[in-house]
Amino acid sequence: MEAELTALAASGATAFVGLMATEAWNQVRGRVARFLARGEDGEDSEAVDAELEESRAALLAARRGGDEDGAADVTAEWRIRLRRALRDNPEAARELRELLDELAPHQPAAPTVTVNNSTNGGTYYSPVIQGHDISGLTFNGGGAVSSRPEPGAG
């Protein structure tokens, strides 16, 4: 049962933090805060909402700065908090599953990409690259420049 709760906590944290970086966050933030606040000692959903917003700011700053460890830390913090909440109140597992099911439509879908490339014949005087989302490449050529025949020259 502990492994199941740990996996559920990880799923919940991943979903919550994933939503923090989307436009949908404003729609679901209150629902997430109410879930997290229930059962907490003396905390209300406004306090949890403030913590969620701090986490969102930290997440967005980490992503803007390319700090993957910082972004992962935000997820880890919420995973730990969810695991504790589930351990302290096993009924919360059912509620968390229901919440995750409700939030599923708001989760950004992973894009499905199909790429079919082919290169036939011809003479290539520079690298030929086929791919998806390629950026920041630099090619430095060296050596002598060969003369290239003009297209249509016979």
Side-chain angles (χ1 to χ4, degrees):
M1 187 67 160
E2 181 68 27
E4 182 182 331
L5 293 180
T6 299
L8 182 58
S11 295
T14 300
F16 295 166
V17 173
L19 285 166
M20 285 179 186
T22 69
E23 297 280 327
W25 180 244
N26 291 328
Q27 296 171 358
V28 301
R29 183 181 75 216
R31 179 79 168 97
V32 171
R34 282 188 301 279
F35 170 79
L36 290 168
R38 81 162 194 36
E40 292 284 332
D41 295 330
E43 284 192 295
D44 61 11
S45 64
E46 289 180 17
V48 175
D49 187 64
E51 289 179 62
L52 287 166
E53 284 307 298
E54 284 178 27
S55 291
R56 181 175 193 257
L59 173 71
L60 296 177
R63 287 191 175 172
R64 273 193 304 272
D67 180 9
E68 290 304 315
D69 289 337
D73 288 347
V74 173
T75 304
E77 289 173 24
W78 287 104
R79 184 182 65 244
I80 291 166
R81 182 152 177 189
L82 282 172
R83 190 173 62 224
R84 283 187 196 136
L86 294 173
R87 186 184 61 224
D88 294 346
N89 183 357
E91 273 191 32
R94 179 186 52 78
E95 294 175 39
L96 179 56
R97 283 187 196 96
E98 290 173 3
L99 178 58
L100 292 175
D101 288 344
E102 288 176 31
L103 298 180
H106 297 289
Q107 288 282 42
T112 302
V113 177
T114 302
V115 178
N116 296 308
N117 293 316
S118 63
T119 303
N120 296 316
T123 303
Y124 304 97
Y125 295 99
S126 61
V128 175
I129 297 175
Q130 296 177 327
H132 179 60
D133 292 336
I134 297 174
S135 64
L137 297 178
T138 302
F139 292 96
N140 296 312
V145 175
S146 63
S147 62
R148 298 180 185 157
E150 292 295 319

